[in-house]
């Protein structure tokens, strides 16, 4: 894996699994099969695997000592000892686009929607194209804000986008992956 400082990455999806322990006298142990089945019967929601999807772009910076991943939104830095560890946790934006499916449909704020914009309540009297969905891979999509031009990575089930509708027409402007990456 060739690392280039400043390359944009996205965190891979993380599957969170529920883990339980049983306290027995002064020690902790894993539950046996019968205990696990009882827990599943009474608390099935605790056994659902949940996906944690990071909605940030990360920049890579490699030094002789380690590799640092910089979160562009939170300014958080994660340090990794080698490229293999980075590769197991991140995917480059270029690889994401290469593996993704082009969508090219606009997300529309429907007429009658009330949103907060710059701290003020705004009521849309007609449909407004707000974003274009560019690329989709697994449970993440890359969108572009049509007003600001800003690109975002979002989880497909992000509740912020529940009230938006999707136009049927496909905009071919970003469909050529070689031109985009």
């Amino acid at each position: 894996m060739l690392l280039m400082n400043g390359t944009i990455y996205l965190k891979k999806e993380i599957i969170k699994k529920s883990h339980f322990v049983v306290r027995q006298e002064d020690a902790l142990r894993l539950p046996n099969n019968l205990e696990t089945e009882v827990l599943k019967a009474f608390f099935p929601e605790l056994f659902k695997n949940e996906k944690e999807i990071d909605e940030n772009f990360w920049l890579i910076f490699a030094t002789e000592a380690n590799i640092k991943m910089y979160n562009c939104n939170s300014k958080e830095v994660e340090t990794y000892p080698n490229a293999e560890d980075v590769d197991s946790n991140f995917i480059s934006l270029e690889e994401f686009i290469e593996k993704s499916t082009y969508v090219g449909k606009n997300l529309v704020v429907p007429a009658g929607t009330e949103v907060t914009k710059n701290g003020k309540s705004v009521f849309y009297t007609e449909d407004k194209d707000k974003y274009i969905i560019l690329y989709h891979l697994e449970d993440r999509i890359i969108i572009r804000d049509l007003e600001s031009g800003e690109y975002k990575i979002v989880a497909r089930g992000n509740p912020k986008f529940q009230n938006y509708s999707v136009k049927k027409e496909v905009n071919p402007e970003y469909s050529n992956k070689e031109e985009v990456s």
Side-chain angles (χ1 to χ4, degrees):
M1 170 178 174
L2 175 63
L3 300 178
M4 291 185 58
N5 285 338
T7 300
I8 300 171
Y9 282 80
L10 295 83
K11 262 197 178 171
K12 291 182 177 176
E13 292 177 352
I14 300 168
I15 306 295
K16 295 191 315 187
K17 295 182 180 180
S18 301
H19 295 284
F20 301 95
V21 292
V22 176
R23 179 182 294 254
Q24 186 172 16
E25 296 172 15
D26 289 335
L28 298 176
R29 65 172 174 79
L30 293 174
N32 63 34
N33 289 341
L34 178 59
E35 292 165 332
T36 301
E37 291 305 313
V38 170
L39 283 170
K40 281 182 184 177
F42 287 100
F43 307 103
E45 68 280 357
L46 297 177
F47 286 85
K48 292 181 182 172
N49 291 338
E50 295 181 26
K51 289 184 181 181
E52 183 178 295
I53 300 176
D54 184 272
E55 296 181 324
N56 295 291
F57 291 109
W58 294 74
L59 297 177
I60 190 167
F61 296 98
T63 66
E64 289 182 21
N66 53 38
I67 301 167
K68 297 193 181 296
M69 300 301 292
Y70 175 73
N71 180 321
C72 300
N73 291 329
S74 70
K75 313 298 186 231
E76 175 185 0
V77 175
E78 293 183 5
T79 304
Y80 295 89
N82 55 50
E84 291 77 27
D85 286 352
V86 171
D87 193 42
S88 67
N89 291 293
F90 291 88
I91 180 172
S92 71
L93 178 58
E94 184 177 358
E95 184 180 352
F96 182 94
I97 291 172
E98 181 182 304
K99 291 180 176 182
S100 68
T101 304
Y102 180 70
V103 179
K105 295 183 178 184
N106 286 2
L107 280 173
V108 178
V109 179
T113 302
E114 185 177 0
V115 296
T116 303
K117 200 173 191 179
N118 299 327
K120 296 180 181 178
S121 195
V122 176
F123 186 77
Y124 286 99
T125 57
E126 55 185 50
D127 290 352
K128 170 117 173 92
D129 290 6
K130 178 68 176 153
Y131 299 98
I132 182 170
I133 303 170
L134 297 174
Y135 296 99
H136 170 264
L137 180 65
E138 296 168 356
D139 284 336
R140 290 184 289 178
I141 57 175
I142 294 177
I143 61 174
R144 182 171 188 252
D145 187 313
L146 294 171
E147 292 174 4
S148 69
E150 179 183 10
Y151 293 89
K152 298 178 182 184
I153 181 84
V154 296
R156 187 172 54 193
N158 185 321
K160 178 182 174 184
F161 298 96
Q162 279 180 333
N163 295 331
Y164 288 73
S165 60
V166 180
K167 273 191 171 175
K168 292 180 182 178
E169 302 85 28
V170 174
N171 178 341
E173 183 178 356
Y174 301 93
S175 64
N176 187 337
K177 292 181 179 183
E178 287 79 33
E179 287 180 10
V180 172
S181 55

